[in-house]
Amino acid sequence: MATQSVRRSVALPKRLVDEVSSVAPPELKANWNRLVTVALEEFASKRRAMEFERSMARMAADPAIRRENDVIQREFARVEADGLLPEPSTPVVKK
């Protein structure tokens, strides 16, 4: 299935065009459509990551979620070492 394109016309400050042109990778310098697409994809990805981090911070601060996490942690603490061999004790060196 082909990707649909939407045409948009934007006015960019010359300073920004010059700066982007100077730092763009060689494969994107000559193709502004691709350069803008890559830049907008990176922007959207960073915004999604920031929103995810904010959501996680809100969850971490939520008292109900913290209580449930404490319950789960206590339940797993009893069995977290099941099936594992105990660590060998450190030998005592006599002088």
Side-chain angles (χ1 to χ4, degrees):
M1 173 161 48
T3 302
Q4 255 188 330
S5 294
V6 177
R7 292 209 172 267
R8 293 286 183 251
S9 177
V10 296
L12 302 171
K14 182 174 180 347
R15 167 202 58 77
L16 179 60
V17 171
D18 292 344
E19 181 179 359
V20 170
S21 294
S22 72
V23 297
E27 65 275 12
L28 296 177
K29 280 186 181 197
N31 186 341
W32 268 80
N33 283 329
R34 184 71 187 129
L35 177 62
V36 170
T37 299
V38 168
L40 289 174
E41 287 171 345
E42 289 176 4
F43 173 80
S45 177
K46 286 179 184 177
R47 297 296 294 205
R48 282 190 303 273
M50 287 170 48
E51 181 52 37
F52 177 77
E53 288 178 23
R54 281 193 294 269
S55 294
M56 295 303 287
R58 283 192 301 272
M59 282 180 33
D62 184 320
I65 292 175
R66 292 176 67 98
R67 282 191 299 276
E68 183 63 23
N69 187 52
D70 289 342
V71 169
I72 292 168
Q73 191 172 2
R74 281 193 301 276
E75 289 174 356
F76 277 96
R78 290 180 288 175
V79 296
E80 67 184 1
D82 280 3
L84 299 177
L85 297 174
E87 287 187 33
S89 60
T90 307
V92 177
V93 178
K94 295 183 180 181
K95 293 183 181 183

